[in-house]
Structure formats: structure tokens, C-alpha cells
Amino acid sequence: MEKVLGIGGLFFRSRNQNELRHWYAENLGIDHYPNFWKQQAGPTVLEPFVHDTDYFGREDQQWMINFRVADLDAMIKQLKAANISVETREEWDSEAGRFARIHDPDGNPIELWQPAVID
């Protein structure tokens, strides 16, 4: 069975993106994209989004979890076999890797991320 490997990122809105990025870097040692805060399990992104982003879906959605996966294609196949709707968009894929989106039963968005490289 394909499993998630860990948290790939935690994304949330912020009215002061740069200040918040700086605070996390200075106080907790967590760099923002394109530098990755590396945990023992692999890279994780802590990235505040602008307060009016539509990236998470619903306007009132304040956060979105991102799980790192080793094989996104296998995960998508597994999820679809379980009748879970999976959304992919070419524009989501980047030099950082490939992405897909699902929603939990409460409608919360969950992003799946296959990093381009895991050190």
C-alpha cells in the first residue's frame, strides 16, 4: 500500500508574508521556499500565502496540509481506486516537484507532493 511519507508543507494566509517568513527564520530556524527546512524525514515547506489567496479553495480556509509522497502516480491510482476525487493541474508542477489535490470528508484541501529530489 502506498503511504504518505510525512508532512510536505503547511500553508496558511498572512497579511504580512515577509515579516512572518522572517520571524520563522529568525526564531525557529525555518527558511522559506526555495530553501527547505529539512527534518529527519525529508523536506518540509513553511510558506505563508497572501491573506486573499484562492489557492486553498474556500475563502474561509486558513490552512492546507501538504503530505510528501514517494510515488505520486501510485498514490493517485490508489486514491482513485478508493473513489476519492484527485485533482491535478500542470501549472502546479514545478522544479520543486509534482502536486495533486484531494479533500478530506470535511472538505479540507490536502495537497500531495512528490518532491523532485529528496536528500
Side-chain angles (χ1 to χ4, degrees):
M1 179 179 142
E2 189 65 24
K3 300 177 187 178
V4 298
L5 302 176
I7 297 172
L10 177 61
F11 307 100
F12 50 95
R13 293 178 169 99
S14 174
R15 293 187 187 278
N16 299 300
Q17 282 180 284
N18 291 331
E19 288 178 30
L20 200 54
R21 283 184 191 124
H22 179 75
W23 186 90
Y24 276 96
E26 289 297 314
N27 292 289
L28 301 176
I30 300 173
D31 292 326
H32 68 279
Y33 181 82
N35 300 312
F36 293 107
W37 167 45
K38 292 196 177 180
Q39 305 165 71
Q40 195 168 16
T44 297
V45 178
L46 180 69
E47 179 65 22
F49 280 49
V50 296
H51 75 281
D52 59 352
T53 185
D54 62 359
Y55 189 71
F56 305 153
R58 298 187 326 257
E59 186 175 316
D60 65 336
Q61 187 71 38
Q62 294 298 309
W63 58 272
M64 178 177 63
I65 191 112
N66 170 298
F67 290 110
R68 222 175 322 104
V69 300
D71 186 336
L72 187 60
D73 293 327
M75 179 63 79
I76 289 171
K77 183 177 178 182
Q78 177 179 303
L79 292 166
K80 286 184 175 183
N83 294 318
I84 296 172
S85 178
V86 180
E87 182 180 4
T88 58
R89 294 185 190 172
E90 199 171 298
E91 65 266 20
W92 289 346
D93 297 343
S94 70
E95 67 277 355
R98 297 178 50 227
F99 298 86
R101 174 109 24 108
I102 61 175
H103 290 82
D104 72 14
D106 287 341
N108 294 308
I110 298 169
E111 190 168 67
L112 302 171
W113 171 36
Q114 179 182 329
V117 176
I118 297 179
D119 295 342

